[in-house]
Amino acid sequence: MHHSLDPLGSCSSVSWISNGAVLTTSSARVDIQALSHSVIRVRMLPPSDEHLRLPPSFAVVQPGRPIPAVTGEERTDCVRLSTSSITVEVQKHPLRVSFLRPDGTAVAADSPAHGMGWTERGAGCYKRFAPGTHFYGFGERTGFLDKQRTAMTLWNSDVNPHTPGTDSLYVSIPFFIAFSGQSAYGIYMDTAARSAFNMGRPRFMPWTSEIDLAPLPYPEVDSEEYWFGTDEKRLDYYFFAGPVIPDVVRAYSDLTGRMQLPPLWALGYHQCRFSYCPEGQVREVARSMREVDIPCDAIYLDIDYMDGFRVFTFSPRHFPRPAQLMSDLREDGFKVVTIVDPGVKVDSQYPVYRQGRRKRVFIRRPDGRVYKGRVWPGVVAYPDFARPASRTWWADNHKALFDAGVRGIWNDMNEPSNFAADTGTLDETALHGEPGAEVEHAYVHNAYGNLMSQATQEAFARLLPNTRPFIITRAGCGGIQRHACVWTGDNSSWWEHLMMAIPMCCNMSLSGVSFVGADVGGFMDSADPELVARWTQMGAFMPLFRSHSMIRSVPQEPYALGEPYTSICRKYIKLRYRLLPYMYTLLRQCAQDGTPIMRPMVYDFPDDPATHIMYDQFMLGSHIMVAPVYLPSAAARPVYFPRGRWANLETGRIIESIGEHVLVQCPLDQIPTYLKEGSILPWGREMSYVGQREQELEVIDIFPSAAMSEGVFSVYADDGETLDYKDGKFGFVDISYNYRARGRLALTITSRDERYRCTMGVGVVHILGLPAAPKRVLLGGAPLFRVASRDELDRQGFLYDPAAGRLTLGLHVPSKHVTVEACF
Ligand code: GLC
């Protein structure tokens, strides 16, 4: 509440530092520094040294690029600091910070009444926002896309089931994007402690009552004000100037790091269940997948593979020959991913625990004894992943799994979860860190998942060198994308959760975590086959595509559903494999510059107000729009089409929109998906698993637009499993069209494979939205002949379908120096 903020007071002195200024008041020191022309760091530190006992950042890896030129100016009432794109204006009496765009508009201005200050728990800041501002990001949250008028606590928690009323979940990312409808900026508060945001949620009614309500975890704000704060006695935030949403997302991921390229198989379909056990059941899943012709790359072993839930062991009874099992599965194209929970069973006969004690790797209580909690194995000790030595010890323990043939690690329960405490987690006073330099759990809590995943990364680096890690985590904080992909934890087999996965994953994506997905079919409860079929359709277009289900729930595997559901799942899982060249290219782009893979409509269409709070459809890259069906028995759904032409991904049928909702038919075997005008979409081959067949671009869809008379898409390719790409061993197949000269459409396809041979076969090219048949078509200067039917396009020739407005070219050439010219 307002009165609980101890304000900063006035600035009594200013000194200039490289790229910034240090201002002092009676209760704080405020450092303001430009890290680039559009990123400003603001730090409020207590005058004493108490903050020095807080841990350094777990999230920030790149606090600045080449230092920009900053100009500074001090007046009696204010200090100004300017880069080429933003001016920080600090009012001195009392100290208030605001950011001015080049046109003079102030954004993220401290509230005149409060600004920054100390709270009972830590530190916080009040800022103003313009009415109509939308807020996106905040990591993993239930609810809709826009968090305007929402108050949130960020404290990693193992909650199940979760509902719209659930506050904290497993991943906490104190980052948001504020979008006014015209421009965007972002703020990242760098903390791994509990933090809270109140984005203009109105006051509660001031009724008096005898009931003694618990105090709110966050201060109240007025309706044009927001607040963010942390339990740390320091406030360290970064302001990203934008001015567009993609700039903010990229700058945030620049600061907190990029995802590493996972193995290509990680983009395939993953089948999981709590638990496939004993080993015969795992074999049965694998056999059924192949028998029923459902592509699949990964099978997961949940906790029951272990010996009494002891990490890094196999149950001698249920998994007596893990190496044999995994080698048989490998023959069949499956990778095995095992769950690894942090809790180590307290058992004096168990070598991992005994060694851990000897090496003093566990989190301790303030009295120096090992901290104990309770998870699946019973009483457990928790490794202190904040210590490098503990991480290395943990990493080395993976030998037992990797030697047996495990190729992916699933880090769960790493909030960390503790069934023995009412809080569900560790005591905040438990201690991390090296002896003599301990830090309380309260300040490390949200980073525990990051540190655990970092230890797992080390396991791959030490034990499987030159193999790309596949690590999936439940918990994390800012920067988790550097270490692992994330699934959204224990959702339920509810239609509401199918829908919620859209805004949830979009907000994760905007928070830097692009490789993300929700359990397909829903985890808790039993799913009916229609829900699984609809969810599989959507999952096929989401970055991480894993089906998972709770113990004792009805089987949710695609082959167990019965018809027509099994066939619908097959159709979309197969489609997913054909999308891999496109998806892998998006993944690579994200690893390069942080561009999100899956994103809300507002990311691509910020000028269209209808998209600003849109939560029930999304973009996969900038080319594909997906409008999932999230209601039972729905035979149609309204789909919003931003202005322009859109081609149905399956039928090629074109919708021309002025920016409107259209009721689209969607029988059970169809999910509305569209290709945006101007796009190029490469389709790969159908496969039962990644690497089963050599990749080819079987089909390329090209949808030239009137406005964009040329386009290019470069399909990324590398070996998909080693780190050789870091030495430049990758290539591209460049596909481009030029429709500038009316009456002539030129198309070129060529591979750049100097460092990695990526030339692949090109089958058929569809050119969509063409009003007339070409008079002639030349391939490499030689005429292509018109054929009479689609069947004849398995060899060279062309066919024009006037009803669909589609020209199909049968090319069947390698992707090297291909030139096609169509004359109208
Ligand atoms: C947790 C996980 C879930 C897993 C279960 C058993 O609930 O979130 O995915 O199946 O633990 O390990």
Side-chain angles (χ1 to χ4, degrees):
M1 292 175 205
H2 287 161
H3 59 258
S4 68
L5 191 81
D6 186 3
L8 275 187
S10 287
C11 167
S12 50
S13 77
V14 178
S15 57
W16 296 95
I17 51 170
S18 101
N19 318 302
V22 177
L23 301 95
T24 19
T25 76
S26 57
S27 69
R29 185 184 115 185
V30 176
D31 294 2
I32 302 181
Q33 249 186 309
L35 304 181
S36 76
H37 67 96
S38 63
V39 180
I40 311 287
R41 181 181 189 184
V42 177
R43 268 194 315 164
M44 177 181 77
L45 303 170
S48 66
D49 283 346
E50 58 187 302
H51 66 280
L52 295 178
R53 289 202 302 274
L54 293 171
S57 178
F58 297 104
V60 170
V61 288
Q62 177 62 270
R65 281 282 153 88
I67 305 286
V70 177
T71 53
E73 172 192 1
E74 184 177 355
R75 299 198 199 143
T76 40
D77 58 340
C78 78
V79 172
R80 281 174 156 234
L81 221 122
S82 304
T83 71
S84 57
S85 54
I86 203 83
T87 295
V88 191
E89 187 174 80
V90 188
Q91 176 197 302
K92 287 191 196 166
H93 312 291
L95 195 149
R96 297 284 180 266
V97 178
S98 55
F99 301 89
L100 308 178
R101 295 211 183 273
D103 67 2
T105 337
V107 291
D110 284 357
S111 290
H114 323 289
M116 288 189 275
W118 304 110
T119 62
E120 268 160 51
R121 316 180 70 119
C125 180
Y126 286 90
K127 287 185 180 290
R128 313 280 318 155
F129 66 88
T133 303
H134 306 288
F135 297 105
Y136 315 116
F138 303 99
E140 190 180 54
R141 309 290 313 174
T142 59
F144 296 105
L145 182 74
D146 181 7
K147 302 299 184 202
Q148 196 197 135
R149 313 254 170 266
T150 309
M152 295 162 267
T153 313
L154 274 63
W155 178 250
N156 289 356
S157 306
D158 175 8
V159 258
N160 101 25
H162 50 261
T163 65
T166 304
D167 188 1
S168 291
L169 282 178
Y170 318 88
V171 175
S172 299
I173 304 180
F175 165 74
F176 68 85
I177 299 167
F179 177 55
S180 68
Q182 267 78 48
S183 66
Y185 69 86
I187 285 186
Y188 172 61
M189 173 169 53
D190 192 16
T191 177
R194 180 185 287 100
S195 60
F197 291 80
N198 186 350
M199 312 313 282
R201 180 163 121 174
R203 279 167 186 284
F204 293 109
M205 293 302 285
W207 288 321
T208 50
S209 163
E210 293 302 303
I211 303 171
D212 190 14
L213 291 172
L216 292 172
Y218 31 76
E220 286 191 27
V221 292
D222 70 36
S223 61
E224 288 175 17
E225 191 180 48
Y226 63 79
W227 184 87
F228 54 95
T230 160
D231 277 3
E232 291 180 345
K233 284 280 180 204
R234 83 178 153 193
L235 183 68
D236 188 357
Y237 76 85
Y238 295 81
F239 168 84
F240 308 95
V244 295
I245 296 173
D247 294 338
V248 179
V249 179
R250 279 193 295 262
Y252 168 76
S253 83
D254 213 25
L255 187 80
T256 57
R258 305 261 144 82
M259 71 182 284
Q260 301 288 307
L261 262 191
L264 181 52
W265 64 261
L267 276 179
Y269 175 71
H270 300 202
Q271 188 63 54
C272 186
R273 176 176 182 89
F274 176 13
S275 300
Y276 295 125
C277 180
E279 110 166 31
Q281 236 194 64
V282 184
R283 292 181 184 275
E284 181 64 25
V285 174
R287 195 186 51 76
S288 305
M289 287 290 182
R290 296 294 179 244
E291 204 171 273
V292 182
D293 190 22
I294 309 271
C296 181
D297 262 276
I299 298 184
Y300 285 54
L301 302 186
D302 205 328
I303 49 174
D304 293 293
Y305 78 87
M306 291 179 270
D307 180 9
F309 307 132
R310 290 170 184 82
V311 270
F312 307 119
T313 66
F314 286 94
S315 157
R317 184 153 151 242
H318 298 306
F319 288 83
R321 288 172 302 277
Q324 185 61 50
L325 169 70
M326 286 178 225
S327 103
D328 292 349
L329 291 175
R330 193 163 47 242
E331 296 258 294
D332 232 350
F334 292 100
K335 304 286 188 295
V336 171
V337 179
T338 48
I339 198 166
V340 173
D341 292 346
V344 174
K345 187 177 177 70
V346 170
D347 167 2
S348 57
Q349 303 304 306
Y350 169 36
V352 176
Y353 174 70
R354 280 219 314 265
Q355 201 191 56
R357 275 210 80 120
R358 215 175 44 246
K359 297 197 166 207
R360 299 181 63 85
V361 301
F362 297 120
I363 294 176
R364 301 200 159 252
R365 308 189 332 179
D367 66 7
R369 292 161 63 190
V370 169
Y371 180 90
K372 289 180 186 148
R374 175 180 284 275
V375 205
W376 307 121
V379 179
V380 297
Y382 297 87
D384 178 10
F385 296 116
R387 293 174 63 185
S390 306
R391 292 202 294 269
T392 302
W393 168 77
W394 187 257
D396 287 343
N397 271 298
H398 285 72
K399 190 165 188 316
L401 302 176
F402 291 157
D403 282 355
V406 170
R407 284 302 172 266
I409 300 293
W410 172 19
N411 285 160
D412 189 22
M413 311 302 277
N414 48 355
E415 294 67 37
S417 181
N418 176 11
F419 302 159
D422 289 344
T423 59
T425 189
L426 311 195
D427 288 352
E428 296 189 20
T429 56
L431 295 176
H432 293 261
E434 304 300 332
E438 287 95 345
V439 187
E440 290 190 352
H441 181 69
Y443 306 109
V444 180
H445 179 80
N446 286 346
Y448 194 74
N450 287 38
L451 294 164
M452 182 185 189
S453 304
Q454 201 180 324
T456 312
Q457 264 177 325
E458 195 176 322
F460 277 90
R462 292 167 74 86
L463 303 169
L464 294 175
N466 210 24
T467 304
R468 293 184 212 173
F470 175 70
I471 304 170
I472 168 170
T473 183
R474 192 171 71 176
C477 68
I480 185 62
Q481 70 274 8
R482 299 198 302 275
H483 310 298
C485 64
V486 175
W487 98 102
T488 57
D490 295 348
N491 60 2
S492 302
S493 295
W494 302 334
W495 289 91
E496 291 85 346
H497 273 190
L498 186 168
M499 195 282 273
M500 194 178 69
I502 308 167
M504 211 175 187
C505 292
C506 282
N507 274 327
M508 282 288 275
S509 216
L510 294 181
S511 309
V513 187
S514 242
F515 196 14
V516 65
D519 281 345
V520 169
F523 175 69
M524 309 281 290
D525 271 356
S526 285
D528 66 73
E530 184 189 346
L531 177 67
V532 181
R534 287 302 196 190
W535 209 321
T536 305
Q537 292 175 336
M538 174 174 81
F541 295 92
M542 292 178 52
L544 180 69
F545 189 20
R546 180 181 89 152
S547 159
H548 184 33
S549 190
M550 175 64 166
I551 193 164
R552 295 194 198 100
S553 61
V554 299
Q556 208 166 282
E557 294 74 20
Y559 55 76
L561 303 174
E563 288 302 343
Y565 310 100
T566 297
S567 294
I568 294 168
C569 292
R570 179 188 302 112
K571 171 181 165 189
Y572 282 94
I573 296 172
K574 287 192 168 184
L575 182 142
R576 161 63 166 237
Y577 279 76
R578 295 179 58 225
L579 270 181
L580 287 183
Y582 177 65
M583 291 197 86
Y584 195 44
T585 301
L586 298 180
L587 211 74
R588 199 265 177 175
Q589 181 76 36
C590 180
Q592 290 287 109
D593 69 3
T595 300
I597 299 168
M598 171 184 179
R599 55 245 201 159
M601 298 298 289
V602 64
Y603 184 93
D604 289 88
F605 303 96
D607 297 334
D608 181 344
T611 67
H612 295 178
I613 61 165
M614 194 168 281
Y615 52 82
D616 65 349
Q617 51 191 80
F618 65 91
M619 296 296 294
L620 175 64
S622 62
H623 294 187
I624 298 178
M625 178 170 78
V626 185
V629 179
Y630 53 86
L631 292 172
S633 310
R637 72 152 276 180
V639 176
Y640 185 76
F641 293 89
R643 175 183 280 281
R645 289 184 306 157
W646 296 86
N648 184 293
L649 212 57
E650 291 182 43
T651 63
R653 237 194 93 216
I654 289 171
I655 287 192
E656 185 148 8
S657 165
I658 53 164
E660 63 201 312
H661 273 97
V662 175
L663 190 68
V664 171
Q665 300 302 312
C666 43
L668 196 54
D669 65 344
Q670 279 171 35
I671 174 174
T673 48
Y674 296 87
L675 189 63
K676 191 177 80 179
E677 181 170 21
S679 298
I680 296 173
L681 183 64
W683 292 93
R685 297 174 87 181
E686 221 175 85
M687 299 191 194
S688 296
Y689 55 90
V690 165
Q692 186 203 17
R693 314 162 71 186
E694 216 163 278
Q695 190 57 287
E696 277 183 15
L697 301 180
E698 270 193 351
V699 175
I700 302 173
D701 283 338
I702 299 184
F703 187 13
S705 75
M708 266 192 286
S709 49
E710 55 190 352
V712 54
F713 187 85
S714 297
V715 187
Y716 175 77
D718 62 20
D719 68 27
E721 47 185 60
T722 74
L723 300 172
D724 293 354
Y725 74 95
K726 293 194 173 182
D727 302 325
K729 299 214 171 92
F730 57 82
F732 290 96
V733 179
D734 297 325
I735 307 166
S736 66
Y737 70 86
N738 185 315
Y739 199 21
R740 193 160 283 159
R742 287 283 139 210
R744 181 181 167 275
L745 175 74
L747 172 70
T748 62
I749 303 171
T750 198
S751 23
R752 280 184 267 153
D753 49 8
E754 301 75 35
R755 302 290 314 276
Y756 176 77
R757 220 193 91 80
C758 61
T759 296
M760 42 188 123
V762 176
V764 160
V765 174
H766 290 307
I767 301 177
L768 308 174
L770 282 184
K775 292 203 187 73
R776 63 195 167 98
V777 179
L778 303 173
L779 168 63
L784 268 190
F785 294 102
R786 186 192 289 258
V787 298
S789 77
R790 277 192 74 87
D791 302 341
E792 295 173 64
L793 287 172
D794 57 7
R795 46 197 158 86
Q796 290 186 341
F798 77 89
L799 179 72
Y800 179 74
D801 173 350
R806 179 173 55 201
L807 171 66
T808 305
L809 310 167
L811 299 184
H812 310 289
V813 286
S815 61
K816 197 92 194 170
H817 311 304
V818 183
T819 59
V820 179
E821 201 179 327
C823 302
F824 298 90

